Amino acid sequence: MDYLYDNTFDGLLTCIYYSYYEDTAKGIYPQDNYQCSLVNPSRIIITDPILSSRVYAAIAQKISSTALKQVYYVFLSNHPCKENLILKYLQLGFKFGRKIESFHTHPDVLPVHQTARKVSFEAHRFFGLLRFAETGDFLYASLTPDHNILILLADHFADRLAMENFIIHDQKRATAVIYNKKEWYLTDFTKPDMLSITEAESFYQHLWLKYFTHIAIESRKNKRLQNQFVPQRYRNNLVEFTNSLLSD
Amino acid sequence: MNTMEKLAILTDAAKYDVSCSSSGVNKKNKGGLGNAKSYGICHTWSADGRCVSLLKILLTNYCIYNCSYCVNRNHNDIPRASFTAREIADLTIQFYRRNYIEGLFLSSAIEHSPNHTMEKIWEVLDILRNEYSFHGYIHVKVIPGSDPGIIHKTGLLADRMSVNIEQPTEQSLRLLAPQKSLQALFTPMAEICRQITQTSEEKKKFRRIKRYVPAGQSTQMIVGASDDTDLTILKATETLYDRFNLKRVYFSAYIPVNEGPNLPALATIPPLLREHRLYQADWLLRFYQFKAEEIVNPQFPRLDTDFDPKISWALRNIHLFPLEINRASYEELLRIPGIGVTSALRIVRQRRLSPISYDNLHKFGVVLKRARFFLTCQGRYYGGIPIETSLIRQALTPQPQPLQLTLF
């Protein structure tokens, strides 16, 4: 039996619930691009927050809170069959309990650990690589990450820039975290056309660019090393790599 | 002179300082701007591949000293500039808001007197912390020779402090920086160390006590300006860790900026590989439970340039190998070239549940290219050659890349 869910974490956990108490799931797939097969019957699962919260609590209790975190990070990844990774990991986890974390090389555990690591690494990277620009009423930052890490950035920046209004915009997924000096929320978002930066903003961008070019030591120049740390795909949103006005 | 020009001059003057880490302290934002994460955050990487985490800048590059290796010495004819305390504070806040930086790394040349300079540094911190309620990371350089009282009140506001000792021995320091002495540099270091220990002891009893320099202190040594061997440098490093409880000792490959009788010629290429090897050795000291005399000794006073220090150590101590992955202790696993802290921890955790086979080893993150010569797995040796120093050394030496012949 293939279970189809609605792309939410709650939906995924509801599938796990049904897989445990009713038919064991052979695979879990997103509803919107599922290819029907003649061999496997499929079933659309309606997301039920009560059931999902029971599974959520069960993972934390019967496996461990680290395992729960791993599962959530994998869910945020862009791995093409992340649902099945999670399914297998949890099936094993409910058998082994917290020991599963130590079983690093197990074929059902290793891909989960690796994927979760990639997601958390990218989130960590964007703690640094995000660039805000002043637009008058709020600070605006956009990014195009590989994984859906927006929600992992929210708490960090809400604490750091507590006295500011800001929007962090994931251009790839057309979502944004919006913070209003009190709390943040995640929402669908498209970039408004009239977004323009203030005069002070362009002054500080120029200062930053000046600083960035001058801090490099000429006799130690190492572009390859720089490329390793700042991959080309992230550079479109970085002031110091797009703005070549001052690169002398 | 406008801000842009000043920024350019004082960045150029500050860039030879190595340290740029923003790690070591977790802080929440208490009603203002900024916080800090103990793992540290890098914000970008400059053209030389070094990370930019803090706004690294000098308050001024007017200097009364004439240290021969330094770009800012008073004999040099270079553009000079000074920031006011408020200018630096504003710049920090504006960069920080835009998430360009993790905080401020403030240093200074010595204008008028050490006390005057240190007082000005304190002023910047005072504005940032008390007026702007800034809770981000601040690293300050201690100006040697300034009053303990000023250093103390600066330390209450900073996250990390550092005194650069520049040279591992008194003799080489005297040659290059005649106005400085190691003893004068050690005094503030010892004092900061004492304060840190004291406040962390008090912290255990009284929760509300403010920690002094919570991210600890660090220092920096220049490599290649004098003829000190790696043995001297690593011995000094180890002593510094033991004596002053330093978080980091940074090494900086000497980049010739001045001409002088006691200095390498201007055309000297910075010893980047040597610096790299010293950092590798430093990691062995800090995370791999090595002692300095194991890495270098009077017989081998210099680090091998062809191999990393751990392989060199293993090749000199080949009688200790091979080690059995399933039985060796954590400390022994760390000694195997190609196994690091992460993979050793994973191995130790997993082998409680099931024996570890050779096929799985690479999944732990073990680099088998190096490790296979030094281990056995379930009793079998996979190196393929007898365990002899010369043979393993040969197998580990990188082969020259074959060249594609041209067709015509």
Side-chain angles (χ1 to χ4, degrees), chain A residues 209 239 241-248:
Chain A
L209 205 67
V239 182
F241 289 99
T242 47
N243 207 337
S244 54
L245 286 172
L246 274 167
S247 54
D248 43 4

Side-chain angles (χ1 to χ4, degrees), chain B residues 23 110 112 119-120 126 142 167 217 234 246 256 317 353:
Chain B
S23 54
I110 295 152
H112 304 310
E119 190 74 44
K120 241 183 120 183
D126 184 49
V142 175
Q167 291 298 325
Q217 56 172 335
L234 284 174
L246 292 192
N317 294 280
L353 304 173

Side-chain angles (χ1 to χ4, degrees), chain B residues 347-363:
Chain B
I347 290 171
V348 170
R349 287 205 335 236
Q350 182 162 331
R351 69 186 182 183
R352 289 194 202 120
L353 304 173
S354 77
I356 286 160
S357 69
Y358 185 74
D359 300 333
N360 275 339
L361 223 43
H362 74 276
K363 295 181 191 161

Side-chain angles (χ1 to χ4, degrees), chain A residues 59-121:
Chain A
I59 298 174
Q61 249 172 38
K62 298 201 166 126
I63 310 176
S64 69
S65 50
T66 330
L68 182 59
K69 198 171 159 187
Q70 302 267 2
V71 167
Y72 186 58
Y73 277 29
V74 173
F75 171 74
L76 295 177
S77 76
N78 65 354
H79 196 287
C81 45
K82 57 186 182 187
E83 297 84 3
N84 292 330
L85 292 185
I86 293 173
L87 177 67
K88 282 188 187 155
Y89 179 76
L90 288 178
Q91 281 170 344
L92 191 74
F94 283 126
K95 225 182 273 173
F96 271 109
R98 68 173 320 124
K99 278 188 214 153
I100 189 176
E101 281 165 49
S102 307
F103 228 125
H104 184 74
T105 61
H106 191 286
D108 292 343
V109 178
L110 187 65
V112 168
H113 281 186
Q114 283 172 339
T115 316
R117 204 175 151 98
K118 271 186 203 159
V119 174
S120 96
F121 180 59

Side-chain angles (χ1 to χ4, degrees), chain B residues 212-229:
Chain B
Y212 184 79
V213 194
Q217 56 172 335
S218 62
T219 192
Q220 167 182 328
M221 266 187 262
I222 297 174
V223 177
S226 60
D227 48 12
D228 293 307
T229 60

Side-chain angles (χ1 to χ4, degrees), chain A residues 105 131 160 164 201 211, chain B residues 43 56 97-98 102 350:
Chain A
T105 61
R131 296 285 176 269
R160 171 162 292 203
E164 309 266 2
E201 175 61 31
Y211 176 74
Chain B
H43 284 252
K56 196 190 295 180
R97 281 179 70 216
R98 292 169 172 80
E102 197 57 19
Q350 182 162 331

Side-chain angles (χ1 to χ4, degrees), chain B residues 155-188:
Chain B
L156 289 173
L157 301 175
D159 291 297
R160 171 167 289 188
M161 282 180 120
S162 56
V163 184
N164 280 1
I165 69 163
E166 310 294 8
Q167 291 298 325
T169 59
E170 191 74 61
Q171 294 93 309
S172 40
L173 189 67
R174 202 170 302 134
L175 279 180
L176 301 176
Q179 285 133 312
K180 292 182 182 169
S181 81
L182 271 192
Q183 223 41 53
L185 297 174
F186 285 156
T187 320

